[in-house]
Amino acid sequence: MNRSAAEVLLRLGDDYLINGQRLSEWCGHAPMLEEDIALTNIALDSFGAAQLIYTMLISEGIHKGSADDLAFARSEREYLNCQLAEQPNGDFAHTILRQFIFDAFAFHFLSNLKQMNEPIVRSVAAKLLKEKTYHLRHSGEWVVRLGDGTDESRSRTENAFKSLWRFVPELFVDDDIILAANKETNFPLYSTLKSEFQETIATIYGRAKLEIPMMKNSGRTTGRRGIHTEYLGHLLSEMQILRRSYPGAAW
Amino acid sequence: MYGNDIPTGSTQYNIPTMSDPPEMLKGFSEMIERGEKIESRDWMPARYRNQLIRMISQHAHSEIIGMLPEGNWITRAPSLKRKIALLAKVQDEAGHGLYLYSAAETLGISRDTMTEHLLTRQAKYSNIFNYPTLAWADMGIIGWLVDGAAIINQTINSKNSFGPYARALIRICREEAFHKKQGMEIVATLATGTLEQKAMVQDSLNRWWWPTLMMFGPPDSDSTNSKETLEWKIKIQSNDEMRQRFIDMTVEQAHAFGLSIPDEDLRFNETTRHWEIGKIDWEEFFSVINGDGPCNEERLNAKRKAWEEGSWVRKAAKAHADRHSQQQRETNHS
Amino acid sequence: MTAPTKNESTVLWEVFLQERSGSPHTHAGSIRAADAEMALQNARDVYARRGLPESVWVVRTTDITTSSATDRESFFEPVKDKTFRHTRDYVVPRDIERLER
């Protein structure tokens, strides 16, 4: 497998891993039982996706070791998830908005992988797209209900937006890795996904009676280079603790 | 499952009991004797309705509270497979709670009311969840012992006479199978792992063994269950019978794992072919169930916090729904 | 059907699943949700985690009209005697019946 393509896929795998980890913190604490089940469903799909991507990269000879080694044994600088994914859960509005933004991005990214040269990537993408379609429906419908709900829910959604929207530009910056992957294996450039993403956001925001946000053109890509916010370190400490406390043990 | 260890006798679901008309009572008892299921539409004695509401709702509460001790280890699960299995298990527990609340609602009590009863301590839940999960090994031990005990209880109780509860239990039993098995896999992995892992799992067994035995409820000799609960097939088998079944199976499994049961008085009786245990500390049991356990406060605080912090979310969903159905009605009439 | 309603923030919905293509939708249980879209999603998450059902229906509990226990006698008992809807009530010479394909 092409190295640049592999790195782009690792980014996606890490997005899913960290997204899953954040969602699993809700288990048992959601606003109603049905939502405990729904959020856990997305968390399960996310860990499953990470596992699938990591396993594929290993079988293609890009990484050594196991999917668990990729998930649990890397240092913070080696994780390539977007900064959005590692943001803390906050209240339900915060979690749902973070999820919605990620789902919209991932949905369009996965949809555009149909044009890729590598069949194994196309088949993984097709499977993940089915799940992501459902996740997007869930998070989008919640944004509508929170935006067009009560004054309190609207205000919380607006606060969540103010705090999370600054992590959006990173998702659409074309750096040298994606440029190479695009040239060599036909990966879609992140920037080409912007207008479809914007449309998805606008449709839901319209129904939610929220002001439709403008996309900033600039953005640094940092999470994609392993430079994260202060949150990731804590998240990884918790996630990796058993492996680090009992080196070499099997679980 | 989680109903045997909750002492009966509280009256918070007291529906005014007029005396049961004898011919209705006779018809009702005959239906049960014939092995027919009572459905929510059928006439039933108030005592039957009361008992079932209490039993089903407390079972539901137990599933919900039961998510918390295991939920405690999801973010620290040490492999993707373990993380996924644990998440799926806890998700199932939420689902089981939901099936049970749904069965209880057919008897005329609402979900919000049942939640209120739980949070104000009017309703109880199974004692086992008032104990803390202090090590990863607890995930294995809980799956093996606690789900193991639940499976015995639920399989037997799925023959109970109330249709919605019986059907919910059948669904639950089908889903529960992997819960126990993934726990046993964890125990097997740790028991044959490093010395530290082996010590971890033995310590975990030492902490969970006696509380699990108490899950089956007080001894038959102390039980307040009336003849009626057996006749009406609310209860199918006695506490001691189910506990003994569990002991016989589990002691042998423990030995096969290379683990020891924390009971100096454990003996195999060659005549009866049963494992005999030492004395269960029923004082501990009653003190925990009355609020003095290690985690009673934490469990309810967690649920209360989730409920209160989620209030604005539920209100938003309702406001949206009301506004749009209003708009729908206006569109229909225009 | 009646749904318990004390100050409920949600509506009670009954869930029906079609397990396989061609089979009827059967009752699986109930869930609570504020509206139909959330009810549909919740029903899928709660009742369709295992297996691949073809379809899910959700219906407000209060929209369901059911027969009652007292109806049983007048609704269903008389049907037992109506054997004219069963083949055993009719006789055709055996060698002709055998020609049925």
Side-chain angles (χ1 to χ4, degrees):
Chain A
M1 184 185 276
N2 176 277
R3 294 237 137 226
S4 304
E7 187 158 325
V8 174
L9 288 166
L10 185 62
R11 291 171 174 181
L12 184 67
D14 289 349
D15 285 344
Y16 271 118
L17 180 76
I18 303 302
N19 181 223
Q21 183 75 357
R22 279 297 187 216
L23 284 177
S24 62
E25 292 169 18
W26 274 101
C27 201
H29 308 286
M32 54 275 237
L33 204 47
E34 281 82 357
E35 199 56 28
D36 263 318
I37 294 173
L39 291 177
T40 304
N41 174 58
I42 302 177
L44 275 166
D45 284 350
S46 301
F47 286 123
Q51 194 175 44
L52 189 63
I53 291 172
Y54 294 157
T55 305
M56 174 177 62
L57 292 174
I58 288 164
S59 71
E60 292 289 309
I62 306 293
H63 294 279
K64 294 207 185 359
S66 65
D68 283 338
D69 292 330
L70 277 176
F72 293 93
R74 284 180 284 160
S75 69
E76 189 182 328
R77 291 292 299 273
E78 294 170 297
Y79 286 87
L80 305 181
N81 57 283
C82 58
Q83 291 187 342
L84 175 72
E86 70 206 40
Q87 296 312 299
N89 286 329
D91 66 4
F92 188 71
H94 212 259
T95 291
I96 282 297
L97 198 65
R98 184 192 65 208
Q99 194 62 43
F100 173 59
I101 294 169
F102 176 63
D103 289 341
F105 162 73
F107 175 81
H108 291 297
F109 183 69
L110 291 166
S111 302
N112 280 283
L113 293 191
K114 286 188 287 249
Q115 75 224 27
M116 292 270 320
N117 296 336
E118 315 223 19
I120 188 178
V121 176
R122 284 202 307 271
S123 86
V124 165
K127 177 181 193 295
L128 297 185
L129 182 60
K130 287 186 188 147
E131 293 171 353
K132 195 43 75 184
T133 306
Y134 188 71
H135 303 166
L136 180 60
R137 181 171 173 174
H138 188 79
S139 57
E141 290 296 331
W142 264 116
V143 172
V144 169
R145 281 151 185 75
L146 298 184
D148 183 24
T150 58
D151 290 337
E152 180 172 4
S153 70
R154 161 189 234 80
S155 130
R156 284 175 182 263
T157 309
E158 286 167 349
N159 286 342
F161 166 79
K162 282 192 196 99
S163 121
L164 292 169
W165 198 248
R166 61 200 168 100
F167 295 106
V168 168
E170 180 189 25
L171 302 173
F172 300 103
V173 168
D174 291 331
D175 67 337
D176 53 338
I177 299 291
I178 194 75
L179 285 165
N182 171 255
K183 186 157 170 241
E184 291 151 26
T185 60
N186 224 11
F187 250 106
L189 290 174
Y190 293 133
S191 59
T192 60
L193 306 172
K194 223 196 276 194
S195 64
E196 287 171 309
F197 170 84
Q198 185 74 52
E199 211 183 294
T200 299
I201 302 293
T203 307
I204 291 294
Y205 266 57
R207 286 178 55 205
K209 309 214 166 50
L210 294 166
E211 200 183 298
I212 294 168
M214 292 319 295
M215 285 283 291
K216 284 208 185 101
N217 282 323
S218 67
R220 301 164 308 197
T221 170
T222 51
R224 299 299 186 207
R225 298 305 234 205
I227 309 288
H228 293 282
T229 63
E230 289 178 351
Y231 294 114
L232 189 66
H234 294 282
L235 182 153
L236 291 176
S237 300
E238 201 172 322
M239 200 171 83
Q240 297 182 346
I241 184 165
L242 278 177
R243 298 244 327 183
R244 292 197 183 275
S245 307
Y246 299 88
W251 298 97
Chain B
M1 111 123 277
Y2 306 114
N4 280 27
D5 62 344
I6 302 162
T8 54
S10 61
T11 55
Q12 71 269 24
Y13 300 115
N14 230 357
I15 291 152
T17 27
M18 308 152 289
S19 49
D20 304 318
E23 71 283 0
M24 296 303 291
L25 192 53
K26 184 162 177 284
F28 171 78
S29 299
E30 282 168 359
M31 264 182 89
I32 295 180
E33 257 170 61
R34 286 195 297 270
E36 284 173 37
K37 296 296 182 200
I38 306 295
E39 299 292 341
S40 55
R41 62 172 178 262
D42 291 320
W43 180 89
M44 57 184 83
R47 279 187 319 293
Y48 180 84
R49 186 187 295 273
N50 263 354
Q51 283 260 53
L52 276 171
I53 288 177
R54 184 171 49 241
M55 193 164 163
I56 300 171
S57 64
Q58 291 187 155
H59 188 167
H61 297 323
S62 300
E63 294 282 355
I64 302 317
I65 299 283
M67 293 167 69
L68 297 173
E70 289 170 310
N72 185 34
W73 280 91
I74 292 172
T75 52
R76 292 176 289 173
S79 74
L80 288 170
K81 177 180 178 180
R82 295 292 175 227
K83 216 189 256 291
I84 287 169
L86 189 57
L87 260 172
K89 177 176 197 282
V90 177
Q91 186 191 43
D92 270 357
E93 282 152 15
H96 295 173
L98 213 145
Y99 303 153
L100 293 163
Y101 284 132
S102 156
E105 293 219 46
T106 67
L107 289 164
I109 185 169
S110 75
R111 172 102 68 92
D112 279 3
T113 303
M114 288 187 273
T115 304
E116 189 190 303
H117 283 157
L118 171 66
L119 297 180
T120 55
R121 300 175 199 266
Q122 286 177 72
K124 300 225 186 285
Y125 55 88
S126 184
N127 233 10
I128 192 76
F129 303 120
N130 288 320
Y131 291 86
T133 49
L134 301 175
W136 169 252
D138 291 14
M139 297 302 102
I141 295 292
I142 286 175
W144 172 37
L145 298 188
V146 176
D147 286 89
I151 287 170
I152 288 177
N153 200 293
Q154 280 157 191
T155 310
I156 289 166
N157 278 339
S158 67
K159 297 182 175 51
N160 87 86
S161 55
F162 185 56
Y165 189 31
R167 287 189 291 275
L169 285 176
I170 288 168
R171 211 178 242 283
I172 289 171
C173 286
R174 270 203 308 259
E175 298 185 354
E176 198 89 33
F178 97 83
H179 296 191
K180 182 174 179 182
K181 193 153 182 212
Q182 61 87 51
M184 291 177 77
E185 190 182 73
I186 293 174
V187 173
T189 307
L190 298 175
T192 54
T194 66
L195 286 174
E196 285 170 310
Q197 285 176 309
K198 187 156 181 184
M200 192 201 293
V201 74
Q202 180 62 62
D203 172 74
S204 177
L205 176 55
N206 294 347
R207 285 182 284 108
W208 288 92
W209 174 252
W210 291 103
T212 305
L213 293 185
M214 295 179 204
M215 278 172 81
F216 294 95
D220 295 344
S221 49
D222 295 352
S223 184
T224 51
N225 282 312
S226 62
K227 204 162 67 80
E228 233 171 31
T229 55
L230 286 166
E231 258 170 30
W232 285 348
K233 292 187 188 160
I234 293 176
K235 202 169 166 57
I236 312 289
Q237 212 173 70
S238 82
N239 294 355
D240 287 340
E241 282 172 320
M242 288 192 283
R243 186 174 11 247
Q244 191 58 53
R245 230 172 98 165
F246 173 79
I247 291 168
D248 288 336
M249 170 179 61
T250 312
V251 166
E252 303 200 351
Q253 288 173 336
H255 294 161
F257 280 133
L259 299 171
S260 59
I261 299 288
D263 181 357
E264 284 171 354
D265 298 316
L266 183 70
R267 300 261 178 289
F268 185 71
N269 185 318
E270 293 290 347
T271 320
T272 62
R273 313 292 301 160
H274 287 303
W275 283 96
E276 290 171 356
I277 56 169
K279 281 200 159 329
I280 294 177
D281 183 359
W282 291 109
E283 259 181 54
E284 175 184 330
F285 170 76
F286 283 108
S287 105
V288 172
I289 212 168
N290 288 319
D292 251 342
C295 296
N296 301 54
E297 282 299 308
E298 284 77 10
R299 300 298 177 233
L300 278 187
N301 286 346
K303 294 321 293 185
R304 202 174 287 120
K305 181 170 188 277
W307 185 249
E308 285 164 7
E309 289 181 2
S311 168
W312 68 267
V313 178
R314 296 188 300 272
K315 288 195 172 105
K318 182 171 199 297
H320 180 87
D322 288 346
R323 189 175 306 131
H324 286 264
S325 71
Q326 171 78 4
Q327 286 167 6
Q328 188 68 46
R329 278 196 293 278
E330 284 165 7
T331 317
N332 289 345
H333 289 137
S334 62
Chain C
M1 281 164 75
T2 53
T5 52
K6 182 213 163 179
N7 297 330
E8 287 304 302
S9 51
T10 51
V11 171
L12 191 63
W13 304 78
E14 301 300 320
V15 178
F16 299 82
L17 295 177
Q18 185 191 35
E19 300 283 1
R20 271 173 297 284
S21 162
S23 48
H25 283 73
T26 52
H27 184 241
S30 67
I31 43 125
R32 282 199 167 268
D35 60 54
E37 166 67 21
M38 295 319 273
L40 196 66
Q41 287 188 31
N42 289 339
R44 177 268 195 197
D45 288 341
V46 175
Y47 290 101
R49 279 201 304 286
R50 288 164 165 81
L52 298 161
E54 292 287 323
S55 138
V56 180
W57 289 352
V58 291
V59 185
R60 275 171 203 264
T61 306
T62 47
D63 283 343
I64 298 181
T65 308
T66 64
S67 60
S68 69
T70 45
D71 284 338
R72 205 190 307 195
E73 241 179 59
S74 56
F75 267 47
F76 305 121
E77 294 261 351
V79 171
K80 281 195 208 141
D81 300 333
K82 308 259 188 307
T83 58
F84 50 73
R85 293 197 178 93
H86 298 284
T87 54
R88 64 176 184 269
D89 231 38
Y90 303 92
V91 183
V92 170
R94 218 184 301 153
D95 52 349
I96 297 174
E97 198 167 5
R98 229 184 285 126
L99 298 172
E100 259 313 282
R101 276 185 209 83

